[in-house]
């Protein structure tokens, strides 16, 4: 209903939050529960498709925020000691068992006692940033072939083909190894003309530069 206003200001694209269904209290979109369902706070899948169609009729573009680093907040299974924070993954779709995730609690030298990222030093602890949980969120293991395959299928068939995204905003870029971004952004998964911009919450051009030309652009 605001597209007339947005177009009238001279904008030719909009960027929306992750649209998938979230775990409890995940109103913002970044705590994925089911990649195949739409977040009820945002509307329905028909609403999203109607938005995409209306934008394209105006020669405007749609950028959808996507998260491939982690799933949503969930409770640990009765932790009894440090590094004993196992999760029940059965509520997640399609990543419903531990095989899809990093075994963050096994990395006792690089993760904190809660199996999360304790040291955000992008120069000395990049392995921990990639393999430990971000604020306790279940950390997807993109090196596991089935995880990578499911993410590829989802972005290709849902985000692009069904929801008609013209561009992707990529969340938590440094938390996913470059080689996995290369696979996710390859022509096997996304259209060659699908633009992307990555989020890297640090300012050093040396660090950010490592992700180009894999990503089209980044911001800190």
């Amino acid at each position: 209903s605001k597209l007339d206003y947005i177009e009238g200001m001279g904008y030719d694209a909009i960027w929306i939050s992750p649209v998938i269904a979230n775990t409890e209290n995940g109103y913002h979109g970044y705590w994925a529960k089911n990649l195949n369902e739409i977040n009820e706070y945002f509307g329905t899948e028909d609403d999203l498709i109607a938005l995409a169609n209306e934008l394209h009729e105006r020669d405007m573009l749609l950028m959808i925020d996507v998260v491939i680093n982690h799933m949503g907040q969930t409770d640990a299974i009765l932790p009894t000691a440090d590094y004993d924070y196992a999760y029940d993954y059965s509520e997640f779709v399609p990543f419903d068992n531990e095989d899809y995730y990093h075994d963050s609690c096994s990395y006792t030298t690089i993760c904190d006692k809660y199996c999360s990222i304790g040291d955000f030093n992008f120069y000395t602890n990049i392995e921990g940033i990639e393999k430990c949980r971000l604020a306790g969120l279940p950390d997807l293991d993109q090196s596991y072939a089935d995880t990578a395959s499911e993410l590829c299928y989802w972005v290709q068939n849902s985000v692009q083909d069904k929801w008609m995204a013209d561009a992707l905003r990529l969340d938590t870029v440094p938390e996913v190894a470059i080689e996995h971004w290369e696979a996710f952004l390859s022509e096997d998964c996304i259209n060659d003309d699908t633009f992307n911009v990555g989020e890297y919450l640090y300012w050093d051009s040396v660090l950010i530069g490592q992700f180009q030309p894999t990503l089209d652009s980044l911001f800190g």
Side-chain angles (χ1 to χ4, degrees):
S1 64
K2 304 296 183 183
L3 290 184
D4 286 342
Y5 172 73
I6 294 171
E7 185 180 22
M9 294 178 67
Y11 294 109
D12 59 7
I14 65 169
W15 159 22
I16 61 175
S17 299
V19 297
I20 39 82
N22 274 212
T23 55
E24 186 176 4
N25 298 321
Y27 61 90
H28 40 63
Y30 294 90
W31 289 356
K33 178 179 180 179
N34 187 333
L35 297 190
N36 301 321
E37 294 183 356
I38 298 295
N39 190 331
E40 63 180 351
Y41 290 98
F42 297 164
T44 68
E45 185 172 68
D46 287 342
D47 293 332
L48 176 59
I49 292 171
L51 172 63
N53 282 325
E54 179 63 24
L55 285 165
H56 293 153
E57 287 181 10
R58 297 167 182 259
D59 291 324
M60 298 174 69
L61 303 176
L62 172 64
M63 180 162 68
I64 295 180
D65 206 319
V66 298
V67 184
I68 71 165
N69 174 66
H70 56 265
M71 296 296 280
Q73 188 179 64
T74 189
D75 293 326
I77 302 173
L78 297 176
T80 58
D82 293 350
Y83 298 102
D84 181 29
Y85 285 80
Y87 287 157
D88 177 4
Y89 299 112
S90 61
E91 69 173 322
F92 296 119
V93 178
F95 308 114
D96 59 359
N97 67 71
E98 64 183 9
D99 293 341
Y100 293 107
Y101 301 86
H102 284 123
D103 184 10
S104 301
C105 292
S106 70
Y107 300 113
T108 57
T109 60
I110 57 176
C111 302
D112 68 17
K113 65 181 181 180
Y114 305 107
C115 315
S116 293
I117 305 170
D119 178 8
F120 277 91
N121 190 317
F122 293 99
Y123 303 96
T124 62
N125 191 41
I126 192 62
E127 183 182 11
I129 290 169
E130 291 172 356
K131 294 180 178 179
C132 305
R133 295 168 180 164
L134 176 63
L137 299 171
D139 199 73
L140 289 168
D141 181 3
Q142 297 82 11
S143 68
Y144 180 56
D146 287 353
T147 302
S149 177
E150 291 285 4
L151 288 169
C152 181
Y153 180 85
W154 169 71
V155 74
Q156 183 179 71
N157 289 274
S158 293
V159 180
Q160 293 183 116
D161 292 349
K162 189 188 298 185
W163 303 335
M164 296 178 282
D166 305 291
L168 309 175
R169 185 269 190 183
L170 308 172
D171 188 66
T172 50
V173 164
E175 281 82 357
V176 177
I178 296 176
E179 60 265 27
H180 304 316
W181 285 119
E182 290 173 347
F184 182 75
L185 296 173
S186 72
E187 292 184 9
D188 291 334
C189 300
I190 68 168
N191 301 328
D192 186 52
D193 59 352
T194 300
F195 176 76
N196 67 76
V197 56
E199 172 218 31
Y200 197 127
L201 291 182
Y202 200 66
W203 56 268
D204 191 339
S205 60
V206 173
L207 293 174
I208 294 176
Q210 297 175 32
F211 287 85
Q212 290 183 299
T214 300
L215 276 67
D216 293 331
S217 60
L218 295 104
F219 64 88

